[in-house]
Amino acid sequence: MDGVRLEWDTSMAVEASSVFEEQARAQLADQLISAFADDCKPEQVIEVIDRAWKRFEKAPVRDFVPLLAARIAQEELRRRIAAQ
């Protein structure tokens, strides 16, 4: 492909990734609010999720952010309950 310059528009990929993360975050919030309803207020669960997600805000690879943030949030919520 001499002389042919290929260009890749990453804006659509970034937008799709952002939408995926928003959906994953909302689903995580629903799951954890339900799972920890007896011990934590919904606002507390959201705060924990936000804090976990923020740890990865500068991560260049976003594929595993929802999974990692979910694990961190679950662990923190379990620790809070155990400490009560």
Side-chain angles (χ1 to χ4, degrees), residues 51-79:
R51 196 168 33 256
W53 220 277
K54 190 169 184 147
R55 292 177 64 172
F56 302 100
E57 70 183 355
K58 293 185 181 180
V61 178
R62 311 293 305 168
D63 296 347
F64 298 104
V65 169
L67 176 64
L68 296 170
R71 289 185 178 178
I72 291 168
Q74 285 176 331
E75 288 174 19
E76 183 175 338
L77 290 166
R78 287 183 184 133
R79 279 195 305 269

Side-chain angles (χ1 to χ4, degrees), residues 12-84:
M12 288 178 56
V14 169
E15 185 176 322
S17 176
S18 177
V19 168
F20 168 75
E21 279 193 42
E22 288 175 22
Q23 291 172 342
R25 192 174 187 151
Q27 184 178 22
L28 176 62
D30 290 344
Q31 291 172 351
L32 293 184
I33 287 169
S34 177
F36 292 94
D38 293 339
D39 300 298
C40 299
K41 296 178 182 176
E43 301 82 32
Q44 293 172 315
V45 174
I46 298 296
E47 178 184 310
V48 169
I49 292 170
D50 289 345
R51 196 168 33 256
W53 220 277
K54 190 169 184 147
R55 292 177 64 172
F56 302 100
E57 70 183 355
K58 293 185 181 180
V61 178
R62 311 293 305 168
D63 296 347
F64 298 104
V65 169
L67 176 64
L68 296 170
R71 289 185 178 178
I72 291 168
Q74 285 176 331
E75 288 174 19
E76 183 175 338
L77 290 166
R78 287 183 184 133
R79 279 195 305 269
R80 281 186 178 196
I81 293 167
Q84 291 179 355

Side-chain angles (χ1 to χ4, degrees), residues 1 3-9:
M1 295 174 93
V4 176
R5 182 174 176 196
L6 299 175
E7 293 185 23
W8 180 256
D9 181 8

